[in-house]
Amino acid sequence: MTKDIAAILAHPQFRAACDALRDGHARYVDEIVTLTEIPAPPFKEERRAEAFRGMLAGYRLEDVALDGIGNVTGLRRGRGNGGIVVVSAHLDTVFPEGTDVTVRREGTRLFAPGVGDDTQGLGALLAFVRALDAAGIETEADLLFVADAGEEGKGDLRGIHHLFTEGDFRDRIGAFFSLDSPEPESVTVRGVGSHRYRVSFRGPGGHSYGDFGTVNPAHAMADVVAGMARWQVPAEPRTTFSASVFGGGSSINAIPQEVWVEIDLRSVDQPALDALDARLHALIAEATAAENARGDSSAGIITAEATRIGARPAGETAPDAPIIAACDAALAAFGFEMKRDTASTDSNIPMSLNIPAVTIGTGASGARAHTLEEWVDLEPGQSLRGLSAALAAILATAGLHVEG
Amino acid sequence: MTKDIAAILAHPQFRAACDALRDGHARYVDEIVTLTEIPAPPFKEERRAEAFRGMLAGYRLEDVALDGIGNVTGLRRGRGNGGIVVVSAHLDTVFPEGTDVTVRREGTRLFAPGVGDDTQGLGALLAFVRALDAAGIETEADLLFVADAGEEGKGDLRGIHHLFTEGDFRDRIGAFFSLDSPEPESVTVRGVGSHRYRVSFRGPGGHSYGDFGTVNPAHAMADVVAGMARWQVPAEPRTTFSASVFGGGSSINAIPQEVWVEIDLRSVDQPALDALDARLHALIAEATAAENARGDSSAGIITAEATRIGARPAGETAPDAPIIAACDAALAAFGFEMKRDTASTDSNIPMSLNIPAVTIGTGASGARAHTLEEWVDLEPGQSLRGLSAALAAILATAGLHVEG
């Protein structure tokens, strides 16, 4: 076996796989179009998952199936040496139901909501599976192909979270790739964790004049946000907070019965994120108690409820991890210069569990993700260099079985 | 002439007027029903105004007309001694267009949105005009009957404001009655002033993680509301404030570009209200400057805009003013005990101009004003005592001309 990039690149079977990627490029593009045009709004990825399961059939994969959370998985068994390497892309898009997802082609460009983020990644999984079969490649570790649910927004990485906490393969996963961007040079090696809350402050309310002096939940909310404004947080590990969206109150002549604010806390470091989270909860308790002490609570007290509306763990792949070195070498071999990025992606989950993970690109160019003007350019030259580099990095991580 | 309540009550012409009220009570009720069923939503009082103008025709009134703001006025000329005494009720209700305003009768009760507040007052104006004519009463001062626009909410007392600032009669008004409540015993002698603002805080916005450190308008808003929470205000003259309704922010992962809060300031004392207003503006400037000093404003600074969305002047009728004494004596004569109230009504305007003014009831019982379940009970016994007492107070203020 070998995990050496130079040896892999030189191996006839890898060259055969690259040929298969080249020969199948038109099909790769067509499959991206097909999948893009199957809507996959947040929490409604089922139709696309079913279609993808069908497209995964007929290859050297075991147990192609939908798991309990809505991920499609297919295991490509290796030689039994080295557990499982996950190769994933996410099913969901950010676009709500009813969005026109018709793909418009202009030369090598595809225009459509979700085409790059992350339908192209799904296409890459299919292209890899075919290329591996065509080249008769055997890996040392098993490869688990995963089209996962709930990467975006309130999906909260639930597909990959499930994979690592409840999935059948959870105890055997040794490395993790997420294909989730057109750009080939960006390799996400740090995962920004986030805790998101909607904090509601409630009280008895009353008439603004007649009941003046009654505790006002707006005062407690304001104390929380004013307190946050004065927080000092570390620049490294980068840690941030934002009071973002506000609402509540029913009438200008009423002391509100409820007001609320949505708060976003982030850090690349989980202990720092947990510390900030504790600080927020302490501030909420303090601000609420202060208003109850300050005002008249005979008609009722101010209470606060912090509902967690999002949680993504922070994590990092060790800078000297072989998976990063493999990406670096594979990209360099195909003419790309790796950039180590920090982002919030499916890799957050394995990173938080100290499982080596990277989020990589698929070799295209593209832009305007999360807008209706999203596009990717699948010009075959760069596209094939990117796909080949990614496949090389995966093989270097799983180990290429070499006969004799 | 006489302004003495005992003399007025004993005078045959006043007794004749009371008889006319009694004989016309069924018509009074019918007219309230008719007017209630003509919708008069905020800023859309025209239809009811037109109908009321028609109903005022044919009496001993001059110049029955709609003025520039939408008030219906009709002058009942007196002997030319003592300027003008206004007798008013408001046309508008709080109910939006499309509200079912059909009146349901149960015995002497009428159920409908707006029936008591203030359609019944409009009915009382008609009943008074008829009773005065029937009894052949002449007053010393002129009586100006006014059905006014915009008393409720955002209407901001604009009908009566116009009457006193731009109306044809503005320089001659010496006393003011507003009939605006079923309850006969409540006499409003102090007007709560209010200044209402929507304060918007704006900034450059940005990504909550990528642009962390950028000035956040929510911090400025929170400093304002937290600062207000710590204000000390006088209990006498009663002065109040409320941060009421909140909004703004577009997404939990964005530093907001705009957040806003609606603030209600009130006082029975105009200088105290003005001082609180200045304090709010200073606090807004301070909080905005503090956030600009605290955060990164390279992409833009935080600005604040306080838009006044309501203003009612504070005022008071002198406790020993003859208009209050007249009410007290008239009510007592008909078996009611006057209560001096504080409220925000059309009388705020003349009170703020030091013109003696009271807001009084029409002698019914009722409840649930400002709800769809509003009702009044026009049981003739109490209703006629209340109407008669109000008419006596008006005549005592305008002066009853006595022959010979």
Side-chain angles (χ1 to χ4, degrees):
Chain A
M1 73 161 265
T2 182
K3 293 192 165 187
D4 178 70
I5 282 288
I8 289 168
L9 296 175
H11 197 279
Q13 279 184 298
F14 179 73
R15 292 170 164 269
C18 290
D19 291 345
L21 288 174
R22 186 195 61 222
D23 296 344
H25 196 264
R27 181 166 176 189
Y28 169 58
V29 176
D30 288 346
E31 286 176 339
I32 292 169
V33 172
T34 300
L35 286 163
T36 302
E37 293 186 343
I38 302 169
F43 296 93
K44 296 194 173 161
E45 306 98 335
E46 302 84 351
R47 268 188 64 206
R48 185 178 285 188
E50 277 299 345
F52 191 79
R53 176 161 73 162
M55 292 161 89
L56 263 191
Y59 302 107
R60 220 201 84 189
L61 296 172
E62 293 177 16
D63 303 326
V64 174
L66 267 153
D67 70 10
I69 201 82
N71 301 318
V72 182
T73 59
L75 187 70
R76 190 174 196 279
R77 205 170 281 283
R79 308 277 296 179
N81 304 314
I84 289 174
V85 174
V86 170
V87 183
S88 68
H90 65 86
L91 289 160
D92 56 314
T93 73
V94 296
F95 301 98
E97 238 172 341
T99 303
D100 182 355
V101 289
T102 309
V103 178
R104 179 164 56 87
R105 295 195 191 211
E106 285 186 13
T108 55
R109 285 198 183 190
L110 305 181
F111 294 79
V115 65
D117 183 10
D118 181 29
T119 322
Q120 182 188 226
L122 299 172
L125 302 193
L126 294 168
F128 290 162
V129 166
R130 268 197 302 275
L132 292 168
D133 281 8
I137 285 176
E138 274 196 291
T139 52
E140 297 294 333
D142 296 347
L143 294 178
L144 181 67
F145 290 89
V146 181
D148 58 279
E151 193 269 350
E152 298 286 2
K154 293 191 174 164
D156 244 359
L157 314 181
R158 74 180 185 287
I160 296 303
H161 182 263
H162 176 91
L163 190 79
F164 280 95
T165 56
E166 299 176 61
D168 291 343
F169 305 101
R170 64 183 183 280
D171 295 330
R172 296 184 51 229
I173 301 171
F176 181 91
F177 286 86
S178 166
L179 291 139
D180 188 5
S181 141
E183 300 83 26
E185 300 195 321
S186 161
V187 175
T188 298
V189 298
R190 289 182 103 178
V192 186
S194 57
H195 289 181
R196 292 168 166 187
Y197 290 96
R198 180 170 171 143
V199 191
S200 293
F201 299 84
R202 301 188 184 94
H207 191 278
S208 63
Y209 182 77
D211 297 315
F212 176 70
T214 298
V215 285
N216 185 337
H219 296 168
M221 180 171 80
D223 273 9
V224 168
V225 177
M228 288 172 62
R230 286 154 181 82
W231 279 354
Q232 298 296 325
V233 288
E236 186 59 41
R238 184 171 172 84
T239 302
T240 70
F241 55 87
S242 178
S244 298
V245 186
F246 290 80
S250 59
S251 160
I252 190 157
N253 57 26
I255 299 164
Q257 290 187 287
E258 179 177 357
V259 295
W260 53 265
V261 55
E262 290 183 354
I263 293 170
D264 180 60
L265 308 177
R266 304 203 193 195
S267 180
V268 294
D269 181 64
Q270 190 63 39
L273 182 57
D274 290 338
L276 200 64
D277 191 292
R279 207 164 163 191
L280 175 64
H281 281 84
L283 183 55
I284 293 168
E286 196 181 292
T288 306
E291 177 60 9
N292 283 327
R294 199 161 38 213
D296 175 357
S297 60
S298 59
I301 61 165
I302 301 299
T303 60
E305 183 182 13
T307 305
R308 199 183 265 198
I309 57 176
R312 296 172 173 228
E316 183 174 10
T317 295
D320 58 353
I323 195 170
I324 298 176
C327 291
D328 195 4
L331 285 167
F334 286 94
F336 298 113
E337 188 182 350
M338 182 177 87
K339 292 185 192 124
R340 292 169 190 252
D341 269 352
T342 300
S344 176
T345 70
D346 274 339
S347 290
N348 278 40
I349 302 287
M351 286 172 180
S352 76
L353 300 168
N354 292 314
I355 294 168
V358 287
T359 297
I360 62 176
T362 51
S365 54
R368 310 298 311 277
H370 292 206
T371 77
L372 298 176
E373 289 74 39
E374 186 174 357
W375 61 268
V376 294
D377 191 333
L378 295 167
E379 181 275 313
Q382 175 174 322
S383 176
L384 288 166
R385 287 196 292 131
L387 287 170
S388 302
L391 184 59
I394 291 162
L395 291 175
T397 303
L400 175 67
H401 174 65
V402 180
E403 290 292 341
Chain B
M1 73 163 264
T2 182
K3 292 191 165 189
D4 178 71
I5 282 287
I8 289 168
L9 296 175
H11 196 281
Q13 278 183 298
F14 179 74
R15 292 169 165 268
C18 291
D19 290 346
L21 288 173
R22 186 194 62 224
D23 296 343
H25 196 264
R27 182 167 175 188
Y28 170 58
V29 175
D30 288 345
E31 286 177 338
I32 291 169
V33 171
T34 299
L35 286 164
T36 301
E37 293 185 343
I38 301 169
F43 297 93
K44 296 192 172 164
E45 305 99 334
E46 301 85 350
R47 267 189 65 204
R48 185 178 285 188
E50 278 299 345
F52 191 79
R53 177 163 71 162
M55 292 162 88
L56 263 192
Y59 300 108
R60 217 203 84 189
L61 295 174
E62 292 176 18
D63 302 326
V64 174
L66 266 153
D67 70 12
I69 200 82
N71 300 318
V72 181
T73 58
L75 186 71
R76 191 174 195 281
R77 208 170 279 282
R79 307 279 295 179
N81 305 316
I84 290 174
V85 174
V86 170
V87 183
S88 69
H90 65 85
L91 289 160
D92 57 314
T93 72
V94 297
F95 300 98
E97 237 173 342
T99 303
D100 182 356
V101 290
T102 310
V103 178
R104 180 164 55 86
R105 295 193 190 214
E106 284 184 16
T108 53
R109 283 199 185 190
L110 306 182
F111 294 79
V115 64
D117 184 8
D118 183 27
T119 322
Q120 184 190 351
L122 298 173
L125 301 194
L126 294 168
F128 289 163
V129 166
R130 268 196 301 276
L132 292 169
D133 282 6
I137 286 179
E138 275 196 290
T139 51
E140 297 295 333
D142 295 347
L143 294 178
L144 181 67
F145 290 89
V146 180
D148 58 279
E151 193 269 349
E152 298 284 2
K154 293 188 174 168
D156 244 0
L157 315 181
R158 72 179 186 289
I160 295 304
H161 182 263
H162 176 91
L163 190 79
F164 279 95
T165 56
E166 300 176 60
D168 292 340
F169 306 101
R170 65 183 183 280
D171 295 330
R172 295 185 49 227
I173 301 172
F176 181 91
F177 286 85
S178 166
L179 291 139
D180 188 5
S181 140
E183 301 83 25
E185 300 193 321
S186 163
V187 175
T188 297
V189 297
R190 288 182 102 179
V192 185
S194 57
H195 289 181
R196 291 168 168 188
Y197 290 96
R198 180 170 172 144
V199 190
S200 293
F201 300 83
R202 301 188 184 93
H207 191 277
S208 63
Y209 182 76
D211 298 313
F212 176 69
T214 298
V215 285
N216 185 337
H219 295 168
M221 179 171 79
D223 273 9
V224 168
V225 177
M228 287 172 63
R230 286 155 182 82
W231 279 352
Q232 298 295 326
V233 288
E236 185 58 44
R238 185 171 171 82
T239 302
T240 70
F241 57 86
S242 178
S244 298
V245 186
F246 289 80
S250 59
S251 160
I252 189 158
N253 55 27
I255 299 165
Q257 292 189 284
E258 179 177 354
V259 296
W260 53 264
V261 55
E262 290 184 353
I263 293 171
D264 180 63
L265 309 176
R266 303 202 194 197
S267 179
V268 292
D269 180 64
Q270 191 63 38
L273 182 57
D274 290 337
L276 201 64
D277 191 291
R279 207 164 162 190
L280 175 64
H281 280 83
L283 183 55
I284 291 168
E286 196 181 294
T288 304
E291 177 59 8
N292 283 327
R294 199 161 40 213
D296 175 357
S297 60
S298 58
I301 61 166
I302 301 299
T303 59
E305 184 182 14
T307 305
R308 197 183 265 200
I309 56 176
R312 295 170 175 232
E316 184 174 11
T317 295
D320 58 354
I323 196 170
I324 299 176
C327 291
D328 194 5
L331 286 166
F334 285 94
F336 299 113
E337 187 184 349
M338 183 177 85
K339 292 185 193 125
R340 291 169 192 252
D341 269 351
T342 300
S344 176
T345 70
D346 274 336
S347 290
N348 278 39
I349 303 286
M351 286 172 180
S352 75
L353 300 169
N354 293 313
I355 295 167
V358 288
T359 297
I360 62 176
T362 50
S365 53
R368 308 301 307 279
H370 292 208
T371 78
L372 297 176
E373 289 74 40
E374 186 175 358
W375 60 267
V376 295
D377 191 332
L378 295 168
E379 180 276 312
Q382 176 174 321
S383 176
L384 288 165
R385 286 196 294 129
L387 286 170
S388 302
L391 183 60
I394 291 163
L395 291 175
T397 303
L400 176 67
H401 174 67
V402 181
E403 294 289 339

